[in-house]
Short mmCIF file of all heavy atoms in Angstrom, two decimals:
data_model
loop_
_atom_site.label_atom_id
_atom_site.label_comp_id
_atom_site.label_asym_id
_atom_site.label_seq_id
_atom_site.Cartn_x
_atom_site.Cartn_y
_atom_site.Cartn_z
N MET A 1 150.75 78.57 96.29
CA MET A 1 149.26 78.48 96.25
C MET A 1 148.68 79.29 97.38
O MET A 1 147.68 79.98 97.18
CB MET A 1 148.89 77.02 96.33
CG MET A 1 147.39 76.78 96.23
SD MET A 1 146.98 77.07 94.53
CE MET A 1 145.30 76.54 94.55
N LYS A 2 149.33 79.25 98.55
CA LYS A 2 148.81 79.98 99.69
C LYS A 2 148.91 81.47 99.41
O LYS A 2 148.02 82.27 99.83
CB LYS A 2 149.61 79.60 100.92
CG LYS A 2 149.06 80.22 102.22
CD LYS A 2 149.63 79.61 103.44
CE LYS A 2 149.05 80.32 104.61
NZ LYS A 2 148.74 79.45 105.67
N LYS A 3 149.96 81.90 98.75
CA LYS A 3 150.16 83.30 98.41
C LYS A 3 148.97 83.82 97.48
O LYS A 3 148.49 84.91 97.70
CB LYS A 3 151.50 83.49 97.74
CG LYS A 3 151.99 84.94 97.66
CD LYS A 3 153.38 84.95 97.12
CE LYS A 3 153.96 86.30 97.28
NZ LYS A 3 155.30 86.42 96.77
N LEU A 4 148.66 82.99 96.53
CA LEU A 4 147.54 83.36 95.63
C LEU A 4 146.23 83.43 96.39
O LEU A 4 145.45 84.37 96.17
CB LEU A 4 147.41 82.31 94.51
CG LEU A 4 146.33 82.50 93.53
CD1 LEU A 4 146.49 83.78 92.80
CD2 LEU A 4 146.25 81.31 92.57
N MET A 5 145.99 82.52 97.31
CA MET A 5 144.77 82.51 98.11
C MET A 5 144.74 83.73 99.02
O MET A 5 143.66 84.37 99.17
CB MET A 5 144.70 81.28 98.98
CG MET A 5 144.48 79.94 98.19
SD MET A 5 142.98 80.02 97.21
CE MET A 5 141.78 79.73 98.48
N ASN A 6 145.82 84.18 99.53
CA ASN A 6 145.89 85.38 100.34
C ASN A 6 145.59 86.65 99.49
O ASN A 6 144.83 87.51 99.91
CB ASN A 6 147.26 85.53 101.02
CG ASN A 6 147.46 84.67 102.22
OD1 ASN A 6 146.48 84.14 102.80
ND2 ASN A 6 148.71 84.36 102.56
N LYS A 7 146.10 86.66 98.30
CA LYS A 7 145.86 87.79 97.38
C LYS A 7 144.39 87.87 97.04
O LYS A 7 143.80 88.86 97.00
CB LYS A 7 146.75 87.72 96.14
CG LYS A 7 148.11 88.13 96.39
CD LYS A 7 148.93 88.13 95.05
CE LYS A 7 150.34 88.56 95.41
NZ LYS A 7 151.16 88.67 94.15
N MET A 8 143.80 86.67 96.73
CA MET A 8 142.37 86.64 96.36
C MET A 8 141.50 87.05 97.57
O MET A 8 140.51 87.77 97.41
CB MET A 8 141.96 85.18 95.93
CG MET A 8 142.52 84.82 94.60
SD MET A 8 141.73 85.73 93.28
CE MET A 8 140.09 84.98 93.30
N SER A 9 141.83 86.61 98.74
CA SER A 9 141.11 86.96 99.96
C SER A 9 141.20 88.49 100.20
O SER A 9 140.15 89.09 100.52
CB SER A 9 141.68 86.22 101.11
OG SER A 9 141.03 86.54 102.29
N ASN A 10 142.37 89.01 100.07
CA ASN A 10 142.52 90.52 100.26
C ASN A 10 141.76 91.26 99.19
O ASN A 10 141.12 92.26 99.48
CB ASN A 10 144.04 90.90 100.23
CG ASN A 10 144.74 90.43 101.43
OD1 ASN A 10 144.19 90.20 102.46
ND2 ASN A 10 146.09 90.30 101.29
N PHE A 11 141.72 90.78 97.99
CA PHE A 11 141.03 91.45 96.87
C PHE A 11 139.55 91.41 97.12
O PHE A 11 138.88 92.45 96.92
CB PHE A 11 141.33 90.75 95.57
CG PHE A 11 140.54 91.31 94.44
CD1 PHE A 11 140.87 92.50 93.83
CD2 PHE A 11 139.47 90.63 93.88
CE1 PHE A 11 140.15 93.02 92.81
CE2 PHE A 11 138.72 91.15 92.82
CZ PHE A 11 139.05 92.36 92.30
N LEU A 12 138.98 90.33 97.61
CA LEU A 12 137.57 90.22 97.88
C LEU A 12 137.13 91.03 99.06
O LEU A 12 136.02 91.50 99.14
CB LEU A 12 137.16 88.76 98.05
CG LEU A 12 137.26 87.90 96.81
CD1 LEU A 12 136.97 86.43 97.13
CD2 LEU A 12 136.38 88.36 95.74
N ARG A 13 138.01 91.26 100.04
CA ARG A 13 137.70 92.06 101.24
C ARG A 13 137.83 93.53 101.03
O ARG A 13 137.24 94.33 101.72
CB ARG A 13 138.56 91.62 102.42
CG ARG A 13 138.01 90.43 103.12
CD ARG A 13 138.77 90.20 104.45
NE ARG A 13 139.61 89.00 104.21
CZ ARG A 13 140.87 88.89 104.63
NH1 ARG A 13 141.41 89.81 105.29
NH2 ARG A 13 141.55 87.79 104.36
N GLU A 14 138.65 93.93 100.00
CA GLU A 14 138.89 95.30 99.80
C GLU A 14 137.67 96.06 99.31
O GLU A 14 136.90 95.57 98.44
CB GLU A 14 140.01 95.44 98.73
CG GLU A 14 140.50 96.87 98.55
CD GLU A 14 141.65 96.94 97.59
OE1 GLU A 14 142.51 96.00 97.62
OE2 GLU A 14 141.70 97.89 96.81
N GLU A 15 137.35 97.17 99.88
CA GLU A 15 136.17 97.95 99.54
C GLU A 15 136.49 99.29 98.92
O GLU A 15 135.55 100.07 98.63
CB GLU A 15 135.26 98.12 100.79
CG GLU A 15 134.78 96.81 101.34
CD GLU A 15 133.89 97.04 102.54
OE1 GLU A 15 133.55 98.19 102.83
OE2 GLU A 15 133.52 96.04 103.18
N ASP A 16 137.75 99.63 98.72
CA ASP A 16 138.12 100.92 98.22
C ASP A 16 138.05 100.94 96.64
O ASP A 16 138.33 99.93 96.05
CB ASP A 16 139.53 101.34 98.60
CG ASP A 16 139.65 101.47 100.13
OD1 ASP A 16 138.57 101.78 100.74
OD2 ASP A 16 140.78 101.28 100.60
N GLY A 17 137.66 102.08 96.11
CA GLY A 17 137.81 102.29 94.65
C GLY A 17 136.68 101.69 93.82
O GLY A 17 136.75 101.80 92.62
N ALA A 18 135.69 101.15 94.36
CA ALA A 18 134.62 100.55 93.58
C ALA A 18 133.39 101.39 93.61
O ALA A 18 132.34 101.00 93.07
CB ALA A 18 134.33 99.16 94.11
N THR A 19 133.44 102.61 94.09
CA THR A 19 132.22 103.32 94.21
C THR A 19 131.68 103.88 92.89
O THR A 19 130.47 103.82 92.63
CB THR A 19 132.44 104.62 95.12
OG1 THR A 19 133.51 105.35 94.65
CG2 THR A 19 132.65 104.15 96.58
N ALA A 20 132.50 104.32 91.96
CA ALA A 20 132.05 104.89 90.69
C ALA A 20 131.34 103.80 89.84
O ALA A 20 130.26 104.00 89.40
CB ALA A 20 133.20 105.49 89.88
N PRO A 21 131.92 102.59 89.67
CA PRO A 21 131.19 101.56 88.92
C PRO A 21 129.91 101.15 89.61
O PRO A 21 128.92 100.85 88.91
CB PRO A 21 132.24 100.36 88.88
CG PRO A 21 133.52 101.00 89.10
CD PRO A 21 133.29 102.20 89.96
N GLU A 22 129.95 101.10 90.92
CA GLU A 22 128.72 100.74 91.64
C GLU A 22 127.60 101.73 91.40
O GLU A 22 126.47 101.40 91.10
CB GLU A 22 129.01 100.60 93.10
CG GLU A 22 129.78 99.35 93.46
CD GLU A 22 130.23 99.31 94.86
OE1 GLU A 22 130.05 100.32 95.63
OE2 GLU A 22 130.84 98.27 95.34
N TYR A 23 127.95 103.01 91.47
CA TYR A 23 126.99 104.08 91.23
C TYR A 23 126.47 104.03 89.78
O TYR A 23 125.32 104.29 89.47
CB TYR A 23 127.53 105.50 91.52
CG TYR A 23 127.61 105.78 93.00
CD1 TYR A 23 128.78 106.30 93.61
CD2 TYR A 23 126.57 105.51 93.86
CE1 TYR A 23 128.87 106.59 94.94
CE2 TYR A 23 126.61 105.82 95.23
CZ TYR A 23 127.75 106.31 95.73
OH TYR A 23 127.86 106.60 97.08
N GLY A 24 127.35 103.73 88.85
CA GLY A 24 126.98 103.57 87.44
C GLY A 24 125.95 102.47 87.26
O GLY A 24 125.03 102.57 86.49
N LEU A 25 126.23 101.33 87.91
CA LEU A 25 125.30 100.19 87.82
C LEU A 25 123.95 100.51 88.41
O LEU A 25 122.90 100.15 87.91
CB LEU A 25 125.85 98.89 88.48
CG LEU A 25 127.06 98.31 87.72
CD1 LEU A 25 127.70 97.22 88.59
CD2 LEU A 25 126.60 97.79 86.43
N ILE A 26 123.95 101.17 89.55
CA ILE A 26 122.69 101.60 90.24
C ILE A 26 121.91 102.55 89.38
O ILE A 26 120.72 102.40 89.16
CB ILE A 26 122.99 102.18 91.64
CG1 ILE A 26 123.50 101.15 92.59
CG2 ILE A 26 121.76 102.88 92.18
CD1 ILE A 26 124.04 101.65 93.88
N ALA A 27 122.59 103.50 88.75
CA ALA A 27 121.94 104.46 87.89
C ALA A 27 121.33 103.78 86.62
O ALA A 27 120.22 104.04 86.25
CB ALA A 27 122.92 105.56 87.45
N ALA A 28 122.07 102.85 86.08
CA ALA A 28 121.57 102.07 84.93
C ALA A 28 120.32 101.22 85.32
O ALA A 28 119.37 101.18 84.57
CB ALA A 28 122.68 101.16 84.37
N LEU A 29 120.37 100.62 86.48
CA LEU A 29 119.21 99.83 86.93
C LEU A 29 118.00 100.71 87.15
O LEU A 29 116.84 100.38 86.76
CB LEU A 29 119.58 99.05 88.21
CG LEU A 29 118.47 98.18 88.83
CD1 LEU A 29 118.11 97.10 87.80
CD2 LEU A 29 118.93 97.60 90.18
N ILE A 30 118.18 101.87 87.73
CA ILE A 30 117.11 102.77 87.98
C ILE A 30 116.53 103.27 86.68
O ILE A 30 115.28 103.33 86.46
CB ILE A 30 117.56 103.99 88.86
CG1 ILE A 30 117.79 103.54 90.31
CG2 ILE A 30 116.55 105.12 88.83
CD1 ILE A 30 118.47 104.54 91.20
N ALA A 31 117.37 103.54 85.70
CA ALA A 31 116.84 103.98 84.36
C ALA A 31 116.07 102.88 83.70
O ALA A 31 115.06 103.19 83.12
CB ALA A 31 118.06 104.32 83.47
N VAL A 32 116.50 101.61 83.81
CA VAL A 32 115.73 100.54 83.22
C VAL A 32 114.38 100.44 83.86
O VAL A 32 113.35 100.27 83.19
CB VAL A 32 116.54 99.22 83.31
CG1 VAL A 32 115.68 98.03 82.97
CG2 VAL A 32 117.74 99.25 82.41
N VAL A 33 114.32 100.52 85.19
CA VAL A 33 113.08 100.42 85.91
C VAL A 33 112.09 101.55 85.49
O VAL A 33 110.94 101.34 85.27
CB VAL A 33 113.27 100.46 87.45
CG1 VAL A 33 112.03 100.62 88.19
CG2 VAL A 33 113.98 99.15 87.84
N ILE A 34 112.64 102.76 85.35
CA ILE A 34 111.81 103.91 84.91
C ILE A 34 111.28 103.69 83.53
O ILE A 34 110.12 103.95 83.27
CB ILE A 34 112.63 105.21 85.08
CG1 ILE A 34 112.86 105.57 86.54
CG2 ILE A 34 111.92 106.39 84.33
CD1 ILE A 34 113.83 106.73 86.75
N ILE A 35 112.18 103.20 82.67
CA ILE A 35 111.68 103.01 81.28
C ILE A 35 110.59 101.98 81.17
O ILE A 35 109.58 102.16 80.47
CB ILE A 35 112.89 102.60 80.37
CG1 ILE A 35 113.81 103.80 80.16
CG2 ILE A 35 112.45 102.08 79.04
CD1 ILE A 35 115.15 103.50 79.57
N VAL A 36 110.74 100.88 81.94
CA VAL A 36 109.70 99.83 81.95
C VAL A 36 108.44 100.40 82.55
O VAL A 36 107.32 100.15 82.02
CB VAL A 36 110.21 98.63 82.75
CG1 VAL A 36 109.09 97.61 82.98
CG2 VAL A 36 111.37 97.93 81.97
N ALA A 37 108.49 101.14 83.60
CA ALA A 37 107.30 101.64 84.28
C ALA A 37 106.57 102.65 83.35
O ALA A 37 105.35 102.60 83.26
CB ALA A 37 107.67 102.31 85.60
N VAL A 38 107.32 103.54 82.72
CA VAL A 38 106.70 104.56 81.89
C VAL A 38 106.08 103.91 80.65
O VAL A 38 104.99 104.24 80.22
CB VAL A 38 107.73 105.60 81.45
CG1 VAL A 38 107.23 106.47 80.34
CG2 VAL A 38 108.09 106.48 82.67
N THR A 39 106.77 102.90 80.11
CA THR A 39 106.21 102.18 78.87
C THR A 39 104.94 101.48 79.31
O THR A 39 103.91 101.58 78.56
CB THR A 39 107.24 101.18 78.41
OG1 THR A 39 108.41 101.86 78.05
CG2 THR A 39 106.74 100.44 77.18
N ALA A 40 104.90 100.73 80.43
CA ALA A 40 103.69 100.02 80.85
C ALA A 40 102.56 101.00 81.14
O ALA A 40 101.41 100.76 80.72
CB ALA A 40 103.98 99.17 82.03
N THR A 41 102.85 102.08 81.80
CA THR A 41 101.85 103.08 82.10
C THR A 41 101.29 103.70 80.87
O THR A 41 100.08 103.95 80.70
CB THR A 41 102.40 104.22 83.11
OG1 THR A 41 102.88 103.51 84.22
CG2 THR A 41 101.34 105.18 83.46
N GLY A 42 102.17 104.13 79.95
CA GLY A 42 101.80 104.67 78.69
C GLY A 42 100.89 103.80 77.88
O GLY A 42 99.91 104.23 77.26
N THR A 43 101.20 102.49 77.87
CA THR A 43 100.33 101.49 77.11
C THR A 43 98.96 101.42 77.76
O THR A 43 97.92 101.44 77.05
CB THR A 43 101.05 100.13 77.11
OG1 THR A 43 102.33 100.29 76.49
CG2 THR A 43 100.18 99.16 76.34
N ALA A 44 98.94 101.40 79.11
CA ALA A 44 97.66 101.29 79.79
C ALA A 44 96.79 102.55 79.57
O ALA A 44 95.60 102.42 79.30
CB ALA A 44 97.86 101.12 81.30
N VAL A 45 97.42 103.74 79.60
CA VAL A 45 96.71 104.96 79.39
C VAL A 45 96.20 104.98 77.95
O VAL A 45 95.07 105.46 77.68
CB VAL A 45 97.55 106.15 79.71
CG1 VAL A 45 96.92 107.50 79.27
CG2 VAL A 45 97.85 106.23 81.20
N SER A 46 97.02 104.62 77.00
CA SER A 46 96.61 104.59 75.59
C SER A 46 95.36 103.67 75.38
O SER A 46 94.48 104.03 74.70
CB SER A 46 97.78 104.13 74.73
OG SER A 46 97.42 104.06 73.39
N ASP A 47 95.38 102.54 76.07
CA ASP A 47 94.27 101.58 75.97
C ASP A 47 92.98 102.25 76.50
O ASP A 47 91.86 102.07 75.93
CB ASP A 47 94.55 100.28 76.69
CG ASP A 47 95.61 99.43 76.02
OD1 ASP A 47 95.90 99.71 74.78
OD2 ASP A 47 96.19 98.51 76.65
N VAL A 48 93.08 102.95 77.62
CA VAL A 48 91.91 103.60 78.18
C VAL A 48 91.37 104.65 77.20
O VAL A 48 90.12 104.73 76.95
CB VAL A 48 92.26 104.29 79.53
CG1 VAL A 48 91.13 105.18 80.05
CG2 VAL A 48 92.54 103.19 80.58
N PHE A 49 92.27 105.48 76.62
CA PHE A 49 91.77 106.49 75.71
C PHE A 49 91.20 105.83 74.41
O PHE A 49 90.22 106.36 73.86
CB PHE A 49 92.90 107.44 75.29
CG PHE A 49 93.16 108.49 76.35
CD1 PHE A 49 94.39 108.57 76.99
CD2 PHE A 49 92.21 109.42 76.68
CE1 PHE A 49 94.67 109.54 77.92
CE2 PHE A 49 92.41 110.40 77.64
CZ PHE A 49 93.65 110.45 78.27
N ASP A 50 91.70 104.69 73.99
CA ASP A 50 91.14 104.00 72.85
C ASP A 50 89.72 103.52 73.20
O ASP A 50 88.81 103.59 72.31
CB ASP A 50 91.98 102.82 72.44
CG ASP A 50 93.30 103.26 71.76
OD1 ASP A 50 93.35 104.39 71.29
OD2 ASP A 50 94.24 102.44 71.72
N GLN A 51 89.52 103.01 74.35
CA GLN A 51 88.17 102.60 74.82
C GLN A 51 87.24 103.73 74.87
O GLN A 51 86.04 103.61 74.48
CB GLN A 51 88.25 101.84 76.13
CG GLN A 51 88.94 100.51 76.09
CD GLN A 51 89.09 99.87 77.48
OE1 GLN A 51 88.77 100.49 78.51
NE2 GLN A 51 89.63 98.65 77.50
N ILE A 52 87.66 104.83 75.41
CA ILE A 52 86.78 106.01 75.49
C ILE A 52 86.41 106.51 74.11
O ILE A 52 85.27 106.84 73.79
CB ILE A 52 87.53 107.16 76.26
CG1 ILE A 52 87.61 106.76 77.79
CG2 ILE A 52 86.74 108.48 76.14
CD1 ILE A 52 88.52 107.64 78.58
N SER A 53 87.38 106.56 73.24
CA SER A 53 87.20 106.98 71.84
C SER A 53 86.21 106.05 71.13
O SER A 53 85.31 106.49 70.42
CB SER A 53 88.51 107.03 71.09
OG SER A 53 88.32 107.35 69.74
N ALA A 54 86.36 104.79 71.36
CA ALA A 54 85.43 103.81 70.69
C ALA A 54 84.03 103.97 71.24
O ALA A 54 83.03 103.85 70.52
CB ALA A 54 85.94 102.35 70.94
N GLY A 55 83.91 104.29 72.53
CA GLY A 55 82.56 104.47 73.13
C GLY A 55 81.91 105.75 72.66
O GLY A 55 80.71 105.80 72.63
N MET A 56 82.72 106.72 72.33
CA MET A 56 82.17 108.01 71.86
C MET A 56 81.85 108.13 70.38
O MET A 56 81.32 109.07 69.91
CB MET A 56 83.11 109.13 72.29
CG MET A 56 83.24 109.27 73.77
SD MET A 56 84.46 110.54 74.25
CE MET A 56 83.78 112.01 73.52
N THR A 57 82.22 107.05 69.61
CA THR A 57 82.12 107.08 68.21
C THR A 57 80.72 107.37 67.73
O THR A 57 80.46 108.15 66.85
CB THR A 57 82.70 105.79 67.61
OG1 THR A 57 84.05 105.66 67.93
CG2 THR A 57 82.62 105.86 66.07
N GLY A 58 79.77 106.65 68.35
CA GLY A 58 78.32 106.81 67.89
C GLY A 58 77.61 107.95 68.52
O GLY A 58 76.42 108.15 68.21
N MET A 59 78.22 108.65 69.42
CA MET A 59 77.54 109.71 70.15
C MET A 59 77.42 110.98 69.29
O MET A 59 78.29 111.26 68.48
CB MET A 59 78.23 110.02 71.46
CG MET A 59 78.28 108.86 72.46
SD MET A 59 79.25 109.29 73.91
CE MET A 59 78.10 110.40 74.70
N THR A 60 76.40 111.77 69.51
CA THR A 60 76.24 113.04 68.85
C THR A 60 76.33 114.14 69.88
O THR A 60 76.07 113.89 71.09
CB THR A 60 74.88 113.15 68.18
OG1 THR A 60 73.86 112.97 69.04
CG2 THR A 60 74.76 112.13 67.01
N GLY A 61 76.68 115.35 69.50
CA GLY A 61 76.79 116.46 70.43
C GLY A 61 75.46 116.88 71.00
O GLY A 61 74.43 116.76 70.36
N VAL A 62 75.46 117.38 72.17
CA VAL A 62 74.21 117.83 72.83
C VAL A 62 74.00 119.32 72.62
O VAL A 62 74.83 120.11 72.73
CB VAL A 62 74.22 117.50 74.31
CG1 VAL A 62 72.96 118.00 75.02
CG2 VAL A 62 74.42 116.00 74.48
#
């Protein structure tokens, strides 16, 4: 049992070889944040243009 605990302890302390998966997770998280931000911004901008368009519907050219 002690041998297993030592192996687990060594595994958890080891920091080598995990950089590629970590960078992959960071890139995926950044991509999700960008997608959410662009979607929210796009929706807000679309709403503003819809309001402007609705306000201009009854206007005539000068």
Side-chain angles (χ1 to χ4, degrees):
M1 185 70 172
K2 185 169 180 138
K3 194 174 192 180
L4 178 62
M5 293 299 284
N6 284 340
K7 284 185 179 184
M8 288 290 289
S9 177
N10 289 340
F11 176 76
L12 293 175
R13 275 191 255 140
E14 187 175 323
E15 296 181 9
D16 296 335
T19 56
E22 288 171 354
Y23 284 132
L25 289 172
I26 291 169
L29 180 62
I30 290 171
V32 168
V33 169
I34 290 171
I35 290 168
V36 169
V38 168
T39 301
T41 303
T43 302
V45 170
S46 178
D47 290 344
V48 169
F49 281 119
D50 288 342
Q51 290 174 355
I52 292 170
S53 175
M56 293 174 63
T57 302
M59 298 178 71
T60 58
V62 177

